[in-house]
Amino acid sequence: MNHDPRITPARPDLAAVHLRGKVEAGRFAEGTEQEVVAGLAPVRKEPSHEAPLLTEALGGERVTVYETDEEGWAWGQLKSDGYVGWMPAAMLLAPGPAPTHKVTALRTFVFPGPSIKLPPVDALPLGAQIAVAREEESFAVTSSGGFVPKVHLAPLANVEPDFVAVAERFAGAPYLWGGKSSLGLDCSGLVQLALTACGIKCLRDSDMQETALGKPTSLAGLQSGDIIFWKGHVAIARGRNSMIHANAFHMAVAIEPVADGLARIGSTGSQVTSVRRLK
C-alpha cells in the first residue's frame, strides 16, 4: 500500500504505532501530544534550520510527537491537517487548557501586561488559537498570562462568511514556500488559511486540495470562490475576470486578471488541470 509521506508518520527507523503492520520501520512509537506555544513554528523536512520549510504550525495547534533528538528537534504530525515534519522542540510544550478563541486579525501581539506600551512577548498570526482565562479591560488574558487585544479575537465557533474576502486581506503579503502567515505564505497556504477561517476543512498542498475540495466546474463559467488548479499551483477566483493567488512571479499575494495569469502560467507549459466549486 502506498502512503503519502507528507501525511504519514513513518520513516525507515521509526513510525507511529498505529501503522504497525502497514509500514516497515525499525521501531514504533505511541507518540505524545504537545502544543505549539510559539506564535508560528516552522515544520521542516529535516532536523536543521537550513532544511526546506514544508509548512508552518500556528500557535495553539496540537502535535503528536514521536521523537525528540539531542539537537532539540521534534519529529511529529500536526493534528490540524496531518502534516509530518521536524519542529524546534523548544516551541512545543505539554498541552494546556483547550483553546477557546482564535485570532481573526492578520497578526496580533501578545503583551506581558494590560498595556499596548509594553514590549510584546510574541506575535500571533490569523488562525492561531489561545485559551482565554479571563478578560481585563480591552484585553483577553491567556491561560499562560499573555494579554491579547480582544478586538483581534473571536470564539472558536465563529466563522468568516466569505473565504475570498479573507484571501484578499493577504494581498501584498510576501511569497514564502511553506509559509502560512502574513509574514509569508505560498499558494496552497493562502487557500488553506482562507477556507479554514470560514470553517471549511482544507488539506495543506494544492494536489491534496484539488482531490478533496468541491466539485468540478469550468473556466467558462468561472464564479467568485471557484478554485483554479495547475500542477503545483492554485488560485482563487474573485469573479469571472479576476483571481488572487500567492505566486513566485510577483513574489507576493497578488490580484490580477484571470486572462493574464492563465497566459503567463501557460507560457511556462503549465495548463489548468481543473476548476473546483465548493458550493
Side-chain angles (χ1 to χ4, degrees):
M1 181 182 296
N2 291 326
H3 297 278
D4 189 333
R6 295 171 294 179
I7 53 175
T8 306
R11 309 186 324 232
D13 62 323
L14 174 65
V17 71
H18 66 82
L19 294 172
R20 192 188 299 274
K22 300 178 182 178
V23 301
E24 293 185 5
R27 62 186 176 94
F28 294 86
E30 286 281 358
T32 303
E33 184 172 287
Q34 298 195 356
E35 177 183 349
V36 178
V37 292
L40 196 65
V43 180
R44 298 194 180 277
K45 186 174 183 179
E46 303 292 343
S48 166
H49 291 292
E50 285 72 48
L53 183 67
L54 298 176
T55 185
E56 291 178 311
L58 309 184
E61 282 202 62
R62 275 15 184 198
V63 185
T64 302
V65 174
Y66 295 100
E67 179 186 50
T68 301
D69 70 12
E70 295 179 352
E71 301 299 320
W73 289 90
W75 183 73
Q77 183 174 34
L78 303 183
K79 284 209 163 185
S80 59
D81 60 17
Y83 228 94
V84 174
W86 292 90
M87 304 175 62
M91 294 183 172
L92 303 171
L93 286 177
T100 60
H101 289 69
K102 61 185 176 181
V103 175
T104 55
L106 285 184
R107 185 163 295 273
T108 191
F109 291 110
V110 182
F111 297 95
S115 171
I116 59 173
K117 295 182 180 180
L118 294 171
V121 295
D122 203 352
L124 301 174
L126 184 141
Q129 300 183 357
I130 62 172
V132 174
R134 60 186 173 87
E135 296 183 358
E136 186 170 325
E137 298 179 350
S138 62
F139 292 93
V141 185
T142 70
S143 59
S144 57
F147 288 72
V148 182
K150 289 193 296 185
V151 70
H152 289 165
L153 302 174
L156 285 185
N158 284 30
V159 295
E160 297 277 357
D162 182 359
F163 67 84
V164 179
V166 176
E168 289 172 343
R169 291 167 58 192
F170 285 91
Y175 181 86
L176 175 66
W177 181 273
K180 277 182 59 173
S181 84
S182 59
L183 288 178
L185 69 173
D186 60 18
C187 64
S188 56
L190 176 66
V191 171
Q192 186 184 49
L193 285 170
L195 293 184
T196 300
C198 296
I200 303 169
K201 190 170 179 61
C202 182
L203 294 172
R204 178 60 178 90
D205 291 344
S206 61
D207 63 320
M208 301 172 175
Q209 295 169 354
E210 185 171 17
T211 300
L213 291 175
K215 297 180 179 179
T217 185
S218 67
L219 279 171
L222 203 63
Q223 297 179 7
S224 179
D226 287 349
I227 304 179
I228 310 168
F229 291 94
W230 297 258
K231 182 177 175 59
H233 190 57
V234 59
I236 301 173
R238 301 172 65 245
R240 184 166 185 173
N241 300 313
S242 177
M243 67 183 187
I244 182 167
H245 58 148
N247 66 91
F249 176 80
H250 296 96
M251 283 305 295
V253 176
I255 294 172
E256 66 175 326
V258 171
D260 290 359
L262 293 178
R264 186 183 67 254
I265 298 170
S267 69
T268 68
S270 182
Q271 302 299 320
V272 171
T273 53
S274 72
V275 181
R276 312 289 293 184
R277 181 168 296 165
L278 273 60
K279 297 180 180 180

